[in-house]
Amino acid sequence: MSSYDVIIIGSGPGGYVCAIRCAQLGLKVACVEGRETLGGTCLNVGCIPSKALLHASHQLHEAEHNFAKMGLKGKAPSVDWKQMLSYKDDVISGNTSGIEFLFKKNKIDWIKGWASIPEAGKVKVGDEVHEAKNIVIASGSEVATLPGVEIDEKTIVSSTGALELGKVPNKLVVIGAGVIGLELGSVYKRLGAEVKVIEFLDTITPGMDAEVSKSFQKLLKKQGLEFQLGAAVQGVDVKNNKAKVTYKLRKDDSEHTEDADVVLVATGRKPYTDGLGLEALGIAMEKRGQIKTDAHWATSVKGIYAIGDAITGPMLAHKAEDEGMAVAEVLAGQKGHVNYNVIPGVIYTHPEVASVGATEEQLKEAGRNYKVGKFSFMGNGRAKANFAADGFVKILADKDTDRILGAHIIGPMAGDLIHEICVAMEFGAAAEDLARTCHAHPTYSEAVREAALACGDGAIHS
Ligand SMILES: Cc1cc2nc3c(=O)[nH]c(=O)nc-3n(C[C@H](O)[C@H](O)[C@H](O)COP(=O)(O)OP(=O)(O)OC[C@H]3O[C@@H](n4cnc5c(N)ncnc54)[C@H](O)[C@@H]3O)c2cc1C
């Protein structure tokens, strides 16, 4: 029986980052992973492969729509789907083998197989039982299914199946207008598919700042994505590899159908804790299947912790990573901390959408006295030169103190630009702090500064 200071179950961004930080802090650590490769959902079937396909399909879009305008003549490239998938697979293996290298470098034992916890202090993998002073559950999440819609990963696919379709479908129906549905819908639209998104709510990207969400939907429509909002999917029938989606409009209960070659079910994810033996251990759970934890990620059973998608909070890789680092610090006797008010969210479509902190709706609801500083990318020289002037930066700041409360960006590189504001918020900065910081010209980040200026005496270029 091998024994460790910490055994981590799951090697996604939560688990592998936790393992590395534990090792860096001098703990003897092992990580159990049931998949063939390390990296969890994120590296194998999530963030990384989806971004590879978004990148490739965006290049095609640029060639088709913008090259000629810049004097780059010639036919736009045609799509070799097999090669695109193989590029995506290379990107995955480059990343997962990178984690394997980091495990070796940090002397972390990778225990291969599916783990269960027979009792606190013990982790069972196959026939072997390993001892650990502490156990961290980082078992992640799985696709949430929809009643009446049976995923076969061919005609009716989850995000995992959508990353390896046999061919680009002529018609794709996406159920759910959240981040994953819109990112993958964009990929297939750019590759030539007709794409229709069916969403239960009356807006896309629920929870997003409403102004940004509206603008985002307009831009996606301009790109050719179709939307049916306020529609409850009743079921999907598959005959001869063709699907028929039946949905009811919530406003009048009328029933409609939509034919498709492929249906992508993108209605969310749920925590994955199967086979761990949590019930027998008596670990307290939340109503929606997450493991209950306290402010230091401890579960109700001493010596067992949980992080990432398996607990409450946004299901995001970087949230899992931050929790992984923080819990490692707690286990090493330090003070781990995650600031849940400053966790950015990004949608990697084109344009990108990024947000951090409060939305305008949340501030209104909380009765906060706030001001809005907005700046359109139309006033940003770099964005205009790069055919990327759609969108804006919106900063929300306290009206009395000028402290930044939230920011929402739709536009080029929004997912990178948002971090300037995250850092500012971590330091409790005022909008004026950003406005008085010299920003290099010509950069997209000047739009952030202009939005900050708009919180004060006014933006210069609007
Ligand atoms: C298509 C898609 C795109 C996404 N894009 C983004 C994005 O751009 N940015 C972002 O922040 N997030 C994105 N996400 C979400 C992100 O992938 C998750 O939030 C993140 O992976 C959660 O990390 P985790 O460590 O909690 O769990 P996971 O990454 O799910 O890893 C958990 C691991 O634990 C293993 N495991 C589970 N149970 C056991 C067991 N009993 N024994 C051994 N191993 C076990 C699993 O095999 C898995 O490998 C995306 C998700 C999807 C599906």
Side-chain angles (χ1 to χ4, degrees):
M1 186 192 285
S2 42
S3 100
Y4 295 91
D5 292 318
V6 190
I7 294 182
I8 295 146
I9 300 175
S11 72
Y16 86 73
V17 167
C18 181
I20 292 171
R21 184 53 107 223
C22 282
Q24 287 172 334
L25 296 176
L27 301 174
K28 188 177 176 209
V29 53
C31 183
V32 192
E33 175 53 62
R35 254 178 230 277
E36 292 295 307
T37 48
L38 298 172
T41 303
C42 177
L43 272 61
N44 289 282
V45 290
C47 329
I48 297 298
S50 58
K51 266 77 248 176
L53 292 183
L54 278 158
H55 175 68
S57 59
H58 179 61
Q59 301 304 310
L60 176 67
H61 177 92
E62 287 296 281
E64 282 173 345
H65 297 275
N66 291 331
F67 275 18
K69 292 182 204 162
M70 294 182 284
L72 299 170
K73 293 283 173 69
K75 267 197 190 163
S78 61
V79 177
D80 179 343
W81 179 234
K82 246 180 142 178
Q83 176 57 30
M84 200 178 282
L85 289 182
S86 137
Y87 148 72
K88 180 249 327 169
D89 291 339
D90 286 349
V91 173
I92 294 173
S93 59
N95 279 274
T96 57
S97 59
I99 307 300
E100 216 174 316
F101 164 79
L102 290 174
F103 271 21
K104 281 188 189 135
K105 184 180 158 198
N106 288 284
K107 304 194 171 40
I108 297 162
D109 287 347
W110 171 11
I111 303 172
K112 296 184 183 178
W114 297 97
S116 61
I117 311 173
E119 60 186 274
K122 292 198 166 55
V123 173
K124 190 166 184 254
V125 185
D127 294 332
E128 286 194 14
V129 177
H130 306 268
E131 275 189 343
K133 285 184 199 143
N134 290 294
I135 296 167
V136 179
I137 302 170
S139 52
S141 60
E142 61 178 342
V143 169
T145 47
L146 205 59
V149 184
E150 205 166 307
I151 292 171
D152 58 19
E153 297 296 18
K154 278 192 182 136
T155 310
I156 305 179
V157 298
S158 69
S159 56
T160 304
L163 293 167
E164 48 190 23
L165 293 180
K167 59 177 185 176
V168 175
N170 288 326
K171 169 93 181 264
L172 172 72
V173 165
V174 180
I175 306 177
V179 178
I180 293 176
L182 296 179
E183 284 187 359
L184 291 171
S186 289
V187 165
Y188 286 104
K189 178 69 215 157
R190 291 170 194 163
L191 296 178
E194 193 187 326
V195 177
K196 179 153 187 170
V197 183
I198 302 180
E199 164 62 46
F200 181 80
L201 297 174
D202 295 326
T203 57
I204 66 166
T205 53
M208 183 186 278
D209 187 275
E211 193 179 5
V212 175
S213 169
K214 256 192 207 153
S215 212
F216 185 34
Q217 192 188 347
K218 254 192 215 156
L219 289 170
L220 290 175
K221 268 188 181 166
K222 223 165 89 182
Q223 290 169 18
L225 271 87
E226 290 174 54
F227 290 92
Q228 177 59 69
L229 304 181
V233 169
Q234 306 296 302
V236 183
D237 289 321
V238 178
K239 259 193 211 131
N240 303 326
N241 300 326
K242 295 267 179 203
K244 192 180 276 298
V245 183
T246 307
Y247 61 89
K248 268 189 180 172
L249 292 188
R250 283 167 55 227
K251 63 175 184 202
D252 57 11
D253 232 20
S254 58
E255 195 165 284
H256 304 260
T257 58
E258 193 72 45
D259 293 329
D261 298 298
V262 173
V263 176
L264 163 60
V265 182
T267 47
R269 296 180 65 80
K270 58 180 182 190
Y272 179 76
T273 55
D274 292 2
L276 287 168
L278 302 188
E279 213 178 308
L281 278 167
I283 286 196
M285 305 293 285
E286 301 282 355
K287 274 196 199 114
R288 302 182 70 186
Q290 298 102 335
I291 300 169
K292 206 173 202 158
T293 53
D294 68 10
H296 297 104
W297 304 279
T299 69
S300 59
V301 173
K302 198 166 183 302
I304 303 180
Y305 295 77
I307 56 169
D309 280 10
I311 68 168
T312 51
M315 286 181 157
L316 293 170
H318 41 284
K319 177 258 192 190
E321 288 183 31
D322 278 21
E323 289 173 343
M325 275 195 277
V327 81
E329 285 161 1
V330 169
L331 296 178
Q334 300 182 1
K335 300 230 178 310
H337 174 72
V338 174
N339 181 359
Y340 288 100
N341 293 322
V342 186
I343 295 186
V346 179
I347 308 180
Y348 298 84
T349 43
H350 199 87
E352 289 184 352
V353 183
S355 64
V356 65
T359 62
E360 201 170 341
E361 291 68 39
Q362 285 168 336
L363 293 179
K364 271 189 192 142
E365 206 181 309
R368 291 290 295 258
N369 199 12
Y370 68 93
K371 56 187 171 179
V372 182
K374 238 178 99 179
F375 186 77
S376 163
F377 279 99
M378 289 298 279
N380 179 276
R382 184 72 177 277
K384 273 161 105 170
N386 295 359
F387 308 110
D390 283 331
F392 55 86
V393 179
K394 173 177 178 178
I395 293 178
L396 302 165
D398 188 284
K399 204 163 192 171
D400 302 320
T401 65
D402 197 34
R403 190 176 176 140
I404 301 168
L405 304 171
H408 307 276
I409 307 177
I410 176 163
M413 305 295 284
D416 287 274
L417 296 181
I418 198 75
H419 294 97
E420 170 179 1
I421 303 168
C422 294
V423 173
M425 286 176 75
E426 279 290 351
F427 280 82
E432 189 179 347
D433 291 319
L434 275 187
R436 288 193 181 276
T437 305
C438 186
H439 283 62
H441 176 77
T443 58
Y444 296 138
S445 65
E446 285 174 289
V448 174
R449 183 196 197 178
E450 292 269 23
L453 280 164
C455 286
D457 294 332
I460 302 297
H461 296 91
S462 66

Coordinates of all heavy atoms in Angstrom, one line a residue, residues 2-10 14-32 103 107-111 121-123 130-138 303-307 323-325 327-333:
S2 N 0.7 2.1 -1.0 CA 1.5 3.4 -1.1 C 0.7 4.4 -0.3 O -0.5 4.4 -0.2 CB 1.7 3.8 -2.5 OG 0.5 3.7 -3.2
S3 N 1.5 5.3 0.3 CA 0.9 6.4 1.1 C 1.4 7.8 0.7 O 2.5 8.0 0.4 CB 1.0 6.0 2.6 OG 2.0 6.7 3.2
Y4 N 0.4 8.7 0.8 CA 0.7 10.1 0.3 C 0.2 11.1 1.3 O -0.7 10.8 2.1 CB -0.1 10.3 -1.0 CG 0.4 9.4 -2.2 CD1 -0.1 8.1 -2.4 CD2 1.5 9.8 -3.0 CE1 0.3 7.3 -3.4 CE2 2.0 9.0 -4.0 CZ 1.4 7.7 -4.2 OH 1.8 6.9 -5.2
D5 N 0.7 12.3 1.1 CA 0.1 13.4 1.9 C -1.3 13.8 1.3 O -2.2 14.0 2.0 CB 1.0 14.7 1.8 CG 2.3 14.5 2.5 OD1 2.3 13.9 3.6 OD2 3.4 14.9 2.0
V6 N -1.3 13.8 -0.1 CA -2.6 14.1 -0.7 C -2.8 13.2 -2.0 O -1.8 13.0 -2.7 CB -2.5 15.6 -1.3 CG1 -3.9 16.0 -1.8 CG2 -2.0 16.6 -0.3
I7 N -4.0 12.7 -2.1 CA -4.4 12.0 -3.4 C -5.5 12.9 -3.9 O -6.5 13.2 -3.3 CB -4.8 10.6 -3.2 CG1 -3.7 9.7 -2.7 CG2 -5.4 10.0 -4.5 CD1 -4.0 8.2 -2.5
I8 N -5.3 13.2 -5.2 CA -6.3 14.0 -5.9 C -7.1 13.1 -6.9 O -6.4 12.3 -7.7 CB -5.7 15.2 -6.7 CG1 -5.0 16.1 -5.6 CG2 -6.7 15.9 -7.5 CD1 -3.8 16.8 -6.1
I9 N -8.4 13.1 -6.9 CA -9.1 12.3 -7.8 C -9.6 13.2 -9.0 O -10.4 14.1 -8.8 CB -10.3 11.6 -7.1 CG1 -9.8 10.8 -6.0 CG2 -11.2 10.8 -8.1 CD1 -10.9 10.1 -5.1
G10 N -9.0 12.9 -10.2 CA -9.4 13.7 -11.4 C -8.2 14.6 -11.7 O -7.6 15.3 -10.9
G14 N -8.8 21.6 -12.4 CA -8.8 21.6 -10.9 C -7.8 20.7 -10.3 O -6.9 21.1 -9.5
G15 N -7.8 19.4 -10.7 CA -7.0 18.4 -10.2 C -5.5 18.5 -10.5 O -4.7 18.4 -9.6
Y16 N -5.2 18.7 -11.8 CA -3.8 18.7 -12.1 C -3.1 20.0 -11.5 O -1.9 19.9 -11.1 CB -3.5 18.5 -13.6 CG -3.5 19.8 -14.5 CD1 -2.5 20.7 -14.5 CD2 -4.6 19.9 -15.4 CE1 -2.5 21.8 -15.3 CE2 -4.6 21.0 -16.2 CZ -3.6 22.0 -16.2 OH -3.6 23.1 -17.0
V17 N -3.8 21.1 -11.5 CA -3.2 22.3 -10.9 C -3.0 22.1 -9.4 O -1.9 22.5 -8.9 CB -4.0 23.5 -11.2 CG1 -3.6 24.7 -10.4 CG2 -3.9 23.9 -12.7
C18 N -3.9 21.5 -8.8 CA -3.8 21.2 -7.3 C -2.6 20.3 -7.1 O -1.8 20.5 -6.1 CB -5.1 20.5 -6.9 SG -5.2 20.2 -5.1
A19 N -2.5 19.3 -7.9 CA -1.4 18.3 -7.8 C 0.0 19.0 -7.9 O 0.9 18.9 -7.0 CB -1.5 17.2 -8.8
I20 N 0.1 19.9 -8.9 CA 1.4 20.6 -9.1 C 1.7 21.5 -7.9 O 2.8 21.5 -7.4 CB 1.4 21.4 -10.4 CG1 1.3 20.4 -11.6 CG2 2.6 22.3 -10.6 CD1 1.1 21.0 -13.0
R21 N 0.6 22.3 -7.5 CA 0.9 23.2 -6.4 C 1.2 22.4 -5.1 O 2.1 22.8 -4.3 CB -0.3 24.1 -6.2 CG -0.2 25.2 -5.1 CD 1.1 26.0 -5.3 NE 0.8 27.4 -5.7 CZ 1.5 28.0 -6.7 NH1 2.5 27.4 -7.3 NH2 1.1 29.2 -7.0
C22 N 0.5 21.3 -4.8 CA 0.8 20.5 -3.7 C 2.3 20.1 -3.7 O 3.0 20.2 -2.7 CB 0.0 19.2 -3.6 SG -1.7 19.5 -3.0
A23 N 2.7 19.6 -4.9 CA 4.1 19.1 -5.0 C 5.1 20.3 -4.8 O 6.1 20.2 -4.1 CB 4.3 18.5 -6.4
Q24 N 4.8 21.5 -5.4 CA 5.6 22.6 -5.2 C 5.7 23.0 -3.7 O 6.7 23.6 -3.3 CB 5.1 23.8 -6.0 CG 5.3 23.6 -7.5 CD 4.6 24.7 -8.3 OE1 3.6 25.3 -7.9 NE2 5.1 25.0 -9.5
L25 N 4.7 22.7 -2.9 CA 4.7 23.1 -1.5 C 5.3 22.0 -0.7 O 5.1 22.0 0.6 CB 3.3 23.5 -1.1 CG 2.7 24.8 -1.8 CD1 1.3 25.0 -1.4 CD2 3.6 26.0 -1.5
G26 N 5.8 21.0 -1.3 CA 6.6 20.0 -0.5 C 5.8 18.8 -0.1 O 6.2 17.9 0.7
L27 N 4.6 18.6 -0.6 CA 3.7 17.5 -0.2 C 3.9 16.3 -1.2 O 4.2 16.5 -2.4 CB 2.2 17.9 -0.3 CG 1.9 19.1 0.7 CD1 0.4 19.5 0.5 CD2 2.1 18.7 2.1
K28 N 3.8 15.1 -0.7 CA 3.9 13.9 -1.5 C 2.5 13.7 -2.1 O 1.5 13.5 -1.4 CB 4.4 12.7 -0.7 CG 4.7 11.5 -1.5 CD 5.2 10.3 -0.7 CE 5.3 9.1 -1.7 NZ 5.2 7.8 -1.1
V29 N 2.4 13.7 -3.4 CA 1.1 13.7 -4.0 C 1.0 12.7 -5.2 O 1.9 12.4 -5.9 CB 0.8 15.2 -4.5 CG1 1.9 15.7 -5.4 CG2 -0.5 15.3 -5.2
A30 N -0.3 12.2 -5.3 CA -0.7 11.3 -6.4 C -2.0 11.9 -7.0 O -2.8 12.5 -6.3 CB -0.8 9.9 -6.0
C31 N -2.2 11.6 -8.3 CA -3.4 12.1 -8.9 C -4.0 10.8 -9.6 O -3.3 10.2 -10.4 CB -3.1 13.2 -9.9 SG -4.5 13.9 -10.7
V32 N -5.2 10.5 -9.4 CA -5.9 9.4 -10.1 C -6.7 9.9 -11.2 O -7.4 10.9 -11.1 CB -6.9 8.7 -9.1 CG1 -7.3 7.3 -9.7 CG2 -6.3 8.5 -7.7
F103 N 3.8 16.5 -14.5 CA 3.7 15.5 -13.4 C 5.0 14.9 -13.1 O 5.4 14.8 -12.0 CB 2.6 14.4 -13.8 CG 1.2 14.8 -13.4 CD1 0.8 16.1 -13.1 CD2 0.3 13.8 -13.2 CE1 -0.5 16.4 -12.8 CE2 -1.0 14.1 -12.8 CZ -1.4 15.4 -12.6
K107 N 7.4 15.3 -9.8 CA 7.4 14.0 -9.1 C 6.0 13.7 -8.5 O 5.8 13.3 -7.4 CB 8.4 14.0 -8.0 CG 9.8 14.3 -8.5 CD 10.9 13.9 -7.5 CE 12.3 14.0 -8.0 NZ 12.6 15.1 -9.0
I108 N 5.0 13.8 -9.4 CA 3.6 13.5 -9.0 C 3.3 12.1 -9.6 O 3.5 11.9 -10.8 CB 2.6 14.5 -9.6 CG1 2.9 15.9 -9.0 CG2 1.2 14.1 -9.4 CD1 2.3 17.1 -9.8
D109 N 2.8 11.2 -8.7 CA 2.4 9.9 -9.3 C 1.1 9.9 -9.9 O 0.1 10.4 -9.3 CB 2.4 8.9 -8.1 CG 3.8 8.5 -7.6 OD1 4.8 8.8 -8.3 OD2 3.9 7.9 -6.5
W110 N 1.0 9.5 -11.2 CA -0.3 9.3 -11.9 C -0.8 7.9 -11.7 O -0.2 7.0 -12.2 CB -0.1 9.7 -13.3 CG -1.3 9.4 -14.2 CD1 -2.5 9.1 -13.8 CD2 -1.3 9.4 -15.6 NE1 -3.4 8.9 -14.9 CE2 -2.6 9.1 -16.0 CE3 -0.4 9.7 -16.6 CZ2 -3.0 9.0 -17.4 CZ3 -0.7 9.6 -18.0 CH2 -2.1 9.3 -18.3
I111 N -1.8 7.8 -10.9 CA -2.4 6.5 -10.7 C -3.5 6.3 -11.7 O -4.5 7.1 -11.7 CB -3.0 6.3 -9.2 CG1 -1.9 6.6 -8.2 CG2 -3.6 4.9 -9.0 CD1 -2.4 6.6 -6.7
G121 N -9.2 8.9 4.2 CA -7.8 8.5 4.3 C -7.4 7.3 3.3 O -6.3 6.9 3.3
K122 N -8.4 6.8 2.6 CA -8.1 5.7 1.7 C -8.7 5.9 0.3 O -9.9 6.4 0.2 CB -8.6 4.4 2.2 CG -7.9 3.9 3.5 CD -8.1 2.4 3.8 CE -7.2 1.9 4.8 NZ -7.1 2.5 6.0
V123 N -8.0 5.6 -0.8 CA -8.5 5.7 -2.1 C -8.2 4.4 -2.8 O -7.1 3.9 -2.8 CB -7.7 6.8 -2.9 CG1 -8.1 6.8 -4.4 CG2 -8.0 8.2 -2.3
H130 N -4.8 2.9 -1.7 CA -3.7 3.8 -1.4 C -4.1 4.7 -0.2 O -5.3 5.0 0.0 CB -3.4 4.8 -2.6 CG -3.2 4.0 -3.8 ND1 -1.9 3.6 -4.3 CD2 -4.0 3.5 -4.8 CE1 -2.0 3.0 -5.4 NE2 -3.3 2.9 -5.7
E131 N -3.1 5.0 0.6 CA -3.4 5.8 1.8 C -3.1 7.3 1.5 O -2.1 7.6 0.9 CB -2.6 5.4 3.0 CG -3.2 4.2 3.7 CD -2.5 3.9 5.0 OE1 -1.3 4.3 5.2 OE2 -3.0 3.1 5.8
A132 N -3.9 8.2 2.1 CA -3.6 9.6 2.0 C -4.1 10.3 3.2 O -5.2 10.1 3.7 CB -4.4 10.1 0.7
K133 N -3.3 11.3 3.7 CA -3.7 12.1 4.8 C -4.9 12.9 4.4 O -5.8 13.1 5.2 CB -2.5 13.0 5.2 CG -1.4 12.3 5.9 CD -0.4 13.3 6.4 CE 0.9 12.6 6.7 NZ 2.1 13.3 6.3
N134 N -4.9 13.4 3.2 CA -6.0 14.2 2.7 C -6.3 13.8 1.2 O -5.5 13.3 0.5 CB -5.7 15.7 2.6 CG -5.6 16.3 4.0 OD1 -6.6 16.3 4.8 ND2 -4.4 16.6 4.5
I135 N -7.6 13.9 0.9 CA -8.1 13.5 -0.4 C -8.8 14.7 -1.0 O -9.6 15.4 -0.3 CB -9.1 12.3 -0.3 CG1 -8.4 11.1 0.2 CG2 -9.7 12.1 -1.7 CD1 -9.4 10.0 0.6
V136 N -8.5 15.0 -2.3 CA -9.2 16.1 -3.0 C -10.0 15.6 -4.1 O -9.4 14.9 -5.0 CB -8.2 17.2 -3.5 CG1 -9.0 18.3 -4.2 CG2 -7.4 17.8 -2.3
I137 N -11.3 15.7 -4.1 CA -12.1 15.3 -5.2 C -12.2 16.4 -6.3 O -12.7 17.5 -6.0 CB -13.6 14.9 -4.7 CG1 -13.5 13.8 -3.6 CG2 -14.4 14.5 -5.9 CD1 -14.8 13.6 -3.0
A138 N -11.7 16.1 -7.5 CA -11.8 17.0 -8.6 C -12.3 16.3 -9.8 O -11.7 16.2 -10.9 CB -10.4 17.6 -8.9
G303 N -10.8 15.5 6.2 CA -9.8 15.0 5.4 C -10.1 14.8 3.9 O -9.3 14.4 3.1
I304 N -11.4 15.1 3.6 CA -11.8 15.0 2.2 C -12.3 16.4 1.7 O -13.1 17.1 2.3 CB -13.0 14.0 2.0 CG1 -12.5 12.6 2.5 CG2 -13.4 13.9 0.5 CD1 -13.5 11.5 2.3
Y305 N -11.7 16.9 0.6 CA -12.0 18.2 0.1 C -12.5 18.0 -1.3 O -12.4 17.0 -2.0 CB -10.6 19.0 0.0 CG -10.1 19.3 1.4 CD1 -9.4 18.3 2.1 CD2 -10.2 20.6 1.9 CE1 -8.9 18.6 3.3 CE2 -9.7 20.8 3.2 CZ -9.0 19.9 3.9 OH -8.6 20.1 5.2
A306 N -13.1 19.1 -1.9 CA -13.6 19.0 -3.3 C -13.5 20.4 -3.9 O -13.7 21.4 -3.3 CB -15.1 18.5 -3.3
I307 N -13.3 20.3 -5.2 CA -13.1 21.6 -6.0 C -13.6 21.4 -7.4 O -14.0 20.3 -7.8 CB -11.5 21.9 -6.1 CG1 -10.8 20.7 -6.7 CG2 -10.9 22.3 -4.8 CD1 -9.4 21.0 -7.1
E323 N -9.2 27.2 -7.4 CA -9.6 26.4 -6.3 C -8.5 25.3 -6.0 O -8.2 25.0 -4.9 CB -11.0 25.7 -6.4 CG -12.1 26.8 -6.4 CD -13.5 26.2 -6.7 OE1 -13.5 25.1 -7.3 OE2 -14.5 26.9 -6.4
G324 N -8.0 24.7 -7.1 CA -6.9 23.7 -7.0 C -5.7 24.3 -6.2 O -5.1 23.6 -5.3
M325 N -5.3 25.5 -6.6 CA -4.1 26.1 -6.0 C -4.4 26.5 -4.6 O -3.6 26.2 -3.7 CB -3.8 27.4 -6.8 CG -2.9 27.1 -7.9 SD -2.1 28.6 -8.6 CE -3.4 29.2 -9.6
V327 N -6.7 25.2 -2.4 CA -6.8 24.0 -1.5 C -5.5 23.4 -1.2 O -5.2 23.0 -0.1 CB -7.9 23.0 -2.0 CG1 -7.3 22.1 -3.1 CG2 -8.4 22.2 -0.9
A328 N -4.6 23.4 -2.2 CA -3.2 23.0 -2.0 C -2.5 23.8 -0.9 O -1.9 23.3 0.0 CB -2.4 23.0 -3.3
E329 N -2.7 25.1 -1.0 CA -2.2 26.0 0.0 C -2.8 25.7 1.4 O -2.0 25.7 2.4 CB -2.4 27.5 -0.4 CG -1.5 27.9 -1.5 CD -1.9 29.1 -2.3 OE1 -2.9 29.7 -1.9 OE2 -1.2 29.5 -3.2
V330 N -4.1 25.5 1.5 CA -4.7 25.1 2.7 C -4.1 23.8 3.3 O -3.7 23.7 4.5 CB -6.2 24.9 2.6 CG1 -6.9 24.3 3.8 CG2 -6.9 26.3 2.2
L331 N -3.9 22.8 2.4 CA -3.3 21.5 2.9 C -1.9 21.7 3.3 O -1.4 20.9 4.2 CB -3.5 20.5 1.8 CG -4.9 20.1 1.4 CD1 -4.9 19.1 0.2 CD2 -5.7 19.6 2.6
A332 N -1.2 22.7 2.8 CA 0.2 22.9 3.2 C 0.3 23.9 4.4 O 1.4 24.3 4.7 CB 1.0 23.4 2.0
G333 N -0.8 24.2 5.0 CA -0.8 25.0 6.2 C -0.8 26.5 5.9 O -0.6 27.3 6.8

